Amino acid sequence: MSPRRIAVVGASAAGLAAAEALRRFGWTGTLTLVGDEPHPPYDRPPLSKQLLQGAWEPAKLHLRAADQLEALDLDLRLGTRATGLDTATRTLTLDGGERLACDGVIVATGVAARTLPAAAGLDGVHTLRTLEDALALKERLSGADRRLVVVGNGVLGCEAAAVARELGHDVTLVGREALPMARTVGPRIGELLAAEHRERGVRLLTAAVDGFETADGDGPARHVTAVRLADGTRLPADTVLVAIGSEPAVGWLHGDPALDTTDGLRCDAYCAAAPGVYAAGDVARWQHPVHGRDLRVEHRMNATEQGMAAARNLLAELAETLPDDGVLAPAAGRERRPFTPVPYFWSDQYGLKIQAYGVLGGADRSEATVLDAASRTAVALYGRDGQATGVLAIGLPPRRVRGLRALIATPAPWEEAREGVRNALA
């Protein structure tokens, strides 16, 4: 007998969206949701904003109430790690040694925060990916020590620096890029963000970190006292946040030769990594049919959308292979569909609302229009190989930003999209 089980690995936003979609689209068999954290699925973007600010308590991050999770009739395995997957037999191995035979698997394990080797075991040096990370950093920022060094000036580093500055901390933001978020948003928008951070009192430095200086702490661990830069500069620090990016959480999949785990779990246009094995969210690198290349999108909206798409496509595949024994409710016109979203992300820094549609990364051309330098209001267009692929706006109302979305919903000739931006702003 077939095990009649689908396992979703990762109790994340993507994993929860997949589990809900599996039930909504007709799966009545066992539905196992595996999460390596002890918490029910929670929202991660507020970790670097509302939670760190103290505006939200942890319970507000929960994506669903307890009764809503109960209604899904989940075989919920929290505080449990998946340690292996045999795609040939669709057998999932858990950290206690248990092996689960599955009809299908959805991988939604997300990413893990990168850190610096010299940071290992140091008190006062933090990363920010999990709820525990955020609570530990929040506790540090609530103390009397006020000197924070943020290593990494990407989105997360900039958001955390903004929150800490609003809390009254002495903040230094150190990045390899000359401007905040420049790798994502380009130089002109990076200049606007740099001006905002400087005006708010953040010290911006372009440098590589060489190591840390420490002193004896209250316990066995040594406490950080300064960040040492490659040029010899010493930055006194009571707390350090390392925000230098992330790595897809695919280490547990390396034992299966059928899977490509280079920069995430590689999937086709349907989010399938192997027969009966799909992926969603930050961990998934899939072939985007519209853009004609592999994308891996670490943004909240994509996690939900891709979780639903992976669930729908998995069930469409299983409908062709499983016997008609009632475990999969009939669905008219059930078929797999390519996942072709218009990626969206946002960032909140001070009073700035930054929103972007499409693909900004990998652009070989960008053009920004600053509407009001004083209020940091701006629009930028991004392109690659003569096609416009992404658009970003700062300080525009959502309705106008959605209007810009239509210009790059599919890659358009650069000049055509450029004229569309001008007309939209007129």
Side-chain angles (χ1 to χ4, degrees):
M1 286 289 292
S2 172
R4 299 300 178 267
R5 178 196 304 269
I6 292 177
V8 178
V9 186
S12 56
L16 177 62
E20 291 181 326
L22 287 167
R23 289 302 191 207
R24 186 166 62 252
F25 296 149
W27 181 256
T28 62
T30 300
L31 180 52
T32 299
L33 180 61
V34 179
D36 61 357
E37 296 184 60
H39 314 289
Y42 63 88
D43 214 8
R44 293 189 191 274
L47 295 179
S48 61
K49 296 184 276 288
Q50 293 93 337
L51 186 78
L52 202 59
Q53 288 168 336
W56 287 15
E57 292 299 319
K60 194 168 182 178
L61 273 65
H62 292 172
L63 290 169
R64 298 292 182 270
D67 60 336
Q68 293 173 310
L69 287 178
E70 187 176 349
L72 293 174
D73 189 23
L74 298 174
D75 171 29
L76 190 57
R77 310 290 188 96
L78 297 178
T80 302
R81 290 182 179 274
T83 58
L85 175 62
D86 182 341
T87 57
T89 61
R90 297 180 198 170
T91 301
L92 181 69
T93 303
L94 305 181
D95 55 6
E98 185 178 4
R99 294 166 59 84
L100 303 178
C102 304
D103 290 296
V105 176
I106 296 178
V107 177
T109 45
V111 295
R114 289 194 185 108
T115 189
L116 296 169
L122 290 186
D123 183 34
V125 179
H126 299 258
T127 55
L128 182 50
R129 173 63 188 172
T130 68
L131 177 56
E132 278 78 12
D133 292 341
L135 291 174
L137 181 58
K138 178 185 175 185
E139 183 178 0
R140 289 290 312 168
L141 296 182
S142 67
D145 297 329
R146 312 304 286 173
R147 298 171 301 179
L148 170 70
V149 175
V150 179
V151 180
N153 60 359
V155 177
L156 179 62
C158 288
E159 289 180 348
V163 168
R165 190 71 196 101
E166 290 176 324
L167 292 173
H169 290 267
D170 176 0
V171 179
T172 301
L173 182 60
V174 181
R176 288 180 174 269
E177 299 292 328
L179 296 165
M181 292 173 53
R183 186 174 296 180
T184 301
V185 303
R188 188 67 188 95
I189 299 299
E191 288 169 359
L192 280 185
L193 297 178
E196 182 71 11
H197 280 279
R198 288 193 183 103
E199 187 173 292
R200 300 283 185 158
V202 176
R203 180 186 182 191
L204 303 180
L205 295 176
T206 305
V209 171
D210 184 56
F212 302 97
E213 294 182 9
T214 63
D216 291 334
D218 295 334
R222 295 184 64 79
H223 182 80
V224 67
T225 58
V227 177
R228 190 173 59 251
L229 304 183
D231 64 2
T233 300
R234 178 182 179 277
L235 304 177
D238 303 304
T239 306
V240 176
L241 171 63
V242 178
I244 56 173
S246 57
E247 296 283 353
V250 293
W252 64 284
L253 296 170
H254 287 168
D256 193 310
L259 300 177
D260 180 351
T261 55
T262 306
D263 187 29
L265 180 56
R266 189 178 189 279
C267 305
D268 63 15
Y270 302 94
C271 305
V277 179
Y278 288 70
D282 297 2
V283 74
R285 177 170 60 92
W286 89 103
Q287 180 69 22
H288 195 299
V290 175
H291 289 277
R293 58 188 171 111
D294 284 356
L295 296 181
R296 190 173 65 81
V297 178
E298 293 186 32
H299 300 309
R300 174 66 175 82
M301 187 70 73
N302 182 76
T304 298
E305 293 177 348
Q306 197 165 23
M308 292 189 290
R312 182 183 60 243
N313 288 337
L314 171 60
L315 291 185
E317 178 185 329
L318 294 182
E320 299 293 325
T321 59
L322 291 182
D324 184 12
D325 58 2
V327 75
L328 181 54
R334 192 191 296 275
E335 62 180 13
R336 298 202 310 163
R337 303 175 197 165
F339 182 54
T340 59
V342 179
Y344 169 75
F345 87 88
W346 78 95
S347 177
D348 296 314
Q349 297 173 36
Y350 309 107
L352 300 183
K353 184 74 171 183
I354 305 163
Q355 301 178 80
Y357 284 103
V359 179
L360 279 57
D364 57 27
R365 186 174 187 178
S366 65
E367 182 176 295
T369 302
V370 178
L371 304 176
D372 185 342
S375 65
R376 321 291 188 215
T377 306
V379 172
L381 187 66
Y382 303 82
R384 174 172 167 159
D385 298 331
Q387 301 285 306
T389 60
V391 64
L392 175 145
I394 302 177
L396 293 188
R399 179 181 57 80
R400 294 188 72 186
V401 180
R402 287 193 296 269
L404 295 171
R405 175 189 185 278
L407 300 175
I408 50 82
T410 58
W414 177 264
E415 291 302 330
E416 178 183 318
R418 189 169 179 251
E419 186 63 24
V421 171
R422 287 175 178 164
N423 293 336
L425 298 177

